[in-house]
Amino acid sequence: MARTRAPVAPSDKPKSARSIAPSGESPGREADIHRDGADFGATNLAAMAQANAVLMEGLGAIGATVYAYAWASFSSAASVARSMIDARSFVDVVALNHDFAQTALEGMIANSARVAEIGVRTTSEALKPLSEHVADTISKLNHPTKL
C-alpha cells in the first residue's frame, strides 16, 4: 500500500530563506545590514589610508632629521680630523678630541629629542582618524538606528 502525503495548506508551506532575515525581519532590513557593512568597511579603509599617509609623512620627517644629523656629524668629524693632523702637540689633540666628543654627545641628545618629538607627534596624528572611527563605531553600536 503506497503512502500518500496529505496536501499542504498554503499557510503551512515553508518560507524561503530569502523571504525571512535571520532575525525574522523583512528582506529590506537584510539589504540595509549589508549596505551598512559595506559602508563600515569603506570607512575602515579610509581611516587606515589617512593614518598610513600621516605615518609615512612622519617617517619621512624622521629620516630627513636623521640624515641631516648624520651629514652634520660626518662634516664635523672630518673637520676635527683635519685639525688633529695640523695639531702641534698631544695636548692640542686631546683638547680637539674632548671638544668633538662633547659636541657630538650634545648633538646626539638634541637630535634624539627632535626625533622623539616627531615620533610622538606622528603617532598621535596617525591614531587620530583611527580613534575617531572607533568612537563613531562604538556610538553607532550603542545607539542603533531604527528603520
Side-chain angles (χ1 to χ4, degrees):
M1 179 178 224
R3 284 188 168 204
T4 59
R5 285 187 166 182
V8 178
S11 63
D12 295 340
K13 287 185 180 177
K15 297 181 181 176
S16 72
R18 291 182 185 252
S19 65
I20 297 179
S23 62
E25 298 172 356
S26 68
R29 176 68 180 145
E30 185 176 327
D32 290 340
I33 290 170
H34 289 298
R35 187 173 37 257
D36 289 346
D39 290 345
F40 181 73
T43 56
N44 277 344
L45 187 59
M48 288 299 294
Q50 187 177 4
N52 190 37
V54 170
L55 186 62
M56 295 310 297
E57 184 179 315
L59 290 175
I62 288 172
T65 301
V66 170
Y67 176 78
Y69 171 71
W71 182 257
S73 293
F74 181 75
S75 297
S76 177
S79 175
V80 169
R82 275 188 238 110
S83 297
M84 284 185 176
I85 292 171
D86 295 338
R88 304 241 180 224
S89 69
F90 182 70
V91 173
D92 291 343
V93 170
V94 170
L96 285 169
N97 190 40
H98 173 267
D99 292 344
F100 172 72
Q102 184 174 358
T103 303
L105 182 63
E106 289 170 355
M108 184 178 69
I109 291 170
N111 191 61
S112 295
R114 193 173 306 124
V115 167
E117 178 185 323
I118 293 170
V120 168
R121 181 172 27 104
T122 298
T123 302
S124 65
E125 288 176 8
L127 290 177
K128 186 176 181 181
L130 298 175
S131 62
E132 289 173 354
H133 181 62
V134 168
D136 186 43
T137 301
I138 289 172
S139 116
K140 284 180 182 178
L141 290 174
N142 288 336
H143 305 290
T145 58
K146 307 259 192 238
L147 294 177

